[in-house]
Amino acid sequence: MTTIGKARSLGLVTVAYLAAVAVAAAWLWWGPSTAILWLDTLIADVLATLVIFVFSRIYRNSSFYDAYWSVIPPLLLFYWWYRSAPDVDALRAWLITVVIVLWAVRLTANWVYAFPGLHHEDWRYPMFKQRAGRFEIVADLVAIHLIPTLQVFLAMVPVYIAITRPDPGLTWLSWVAVVVGLGAVALEFVADVQMHRFVAERREGQAMDRGLWSWSRHPNYFGEFSFWAALALFGIAAAPGYWWLSSLGALAILAMFLGASIPMMEERSLARRPAYQDVIDRVSRFVPRPPKN
């Protein structure tokens, strides 16, 4: 893996994302159109992902993709709004924008703060590649790059529904979505700050069980799911009859957290810090609640 300092690493990642967005924009403006807005956008999203994949292969580090989760959703929102104007409910569009932009800024900033440089790669990626054996490049492309892109796009479908429908729908539910979304962003921010402080002060083998982390072993994941649930509420508010379609993305992310991300994190934490078993015995796995005595 290439050894590059943090400043230069961030510069290379920025170049990669500018190239990815440029390719996506070129497709949307000059490429052949399907005459279906969401499908054109999905193709552009996949093309941008392929650009990031190329950078990942060149520098042998799939963590090039990490920021994609928070960088692309605001761009999808803005493009859909641009293409749907003026036939869009302005209030709902602005409420969605506030929630998504705050979420994206927080998540991207947290990634930049914690990113040490391209000498580091998310510990899960080498594991996926090693398990794939000679199909390592397929695992890298599909499991690490394409599937998360499709998952996030699916979770953005309710935003597409909300932005492209001019009817105000259930305005009260849009306000509920705002409260849930902003609460999710605040919860994630506090959880991140508490974890960064703990990492800076912790003793060897010590497990995190302070603040929000004493109520949930994964408050960051709970906050992240709550954010996507808020987007689902926006979609339901715009088109109640399509509630099932608006819910699919958030449910898929919940399944990923509960079925894959959390089990992998907990297995790793137990292997590195046996004291984490005490946290498991006392603290809720996902939904925050007071800890057991």
Side-chain angles (χ1 to χ4, degrees), residues 10 22 51-52 66-67 69 77 82 156 168 188 209 268 291:
L10 289 173
V51 173
I52 300 300
D66 289 351
W69 188 275
L77 163 64
Y82 164 75
M156 285 291 291
E188 289 185 281
D209 61 350
R268 185 170 185 257

Side-chain angles (χ1 to χ4, degrees), residues 213-243:
W213 301 81
S214 68
W215 283 55
S216 170
R217 302 202 297 273
H218 303 279
N220 51 341
Y221 283 145
F222 179 79
E224 185 69 10
F225 165 70
S226 299
F227 164 76
W228 294 107
L231 299 192
L233 291 177
F234 279 119
I236 296 171
Y242 290 95
W243 63 268

Side-chain angles (χ1 to χ4, degrees), residues 151-262:
Q151 193 169 30
V152 169
F153 192 91
L154 179 62
M156 285 291 291
V157 165
V159 175
Y160 177 84
I161 294 173
I163 290 295
T164 57
R165 294 181 71 90
D167 191 288
L170 304 175
T171 304
W172 66 268
L173 189 56
S174 292
W175 285 106
V176 171
V178 171
V179 172
V180 173
L182 294 181
V185 173
L187 187 149
E188 289 185 281
F189 176 77
V190 173
D192 287 340
V193 170
Q194 291 176 346
M195 178 56 76
H196 292 318
R197 289 176 177 172
F198 170 76
V199 169
E201 302 169 355
R202 71 180 171 189
R203 301 182 301 274
E204 184 177 356
Q206 187 178 11
M208 175 56 154
D209 61 350
R210 307 175 184 175
L212 291 174
W213 301 81
S214 68
W215 283 55
S216 170
R217 302 202 297 273
H218 303 279
N220 51 341
Y221 283 145
F222 179 79
E224 185 69 10
F225 165 70
S226 299
F227 164 76
W228 294 107
L231 299 192
L233 291 177
F234 279 119
I236 296 171
Y242 290 95
W243 63 268
W244 56 273
L245 182 58
S246 291
S247 302
L248 287 178
L251 291 176
I253 287 175
L254 178 63
M256 178 186 69
F257 287 163
L258 298 181
S261 299
I262 289 177

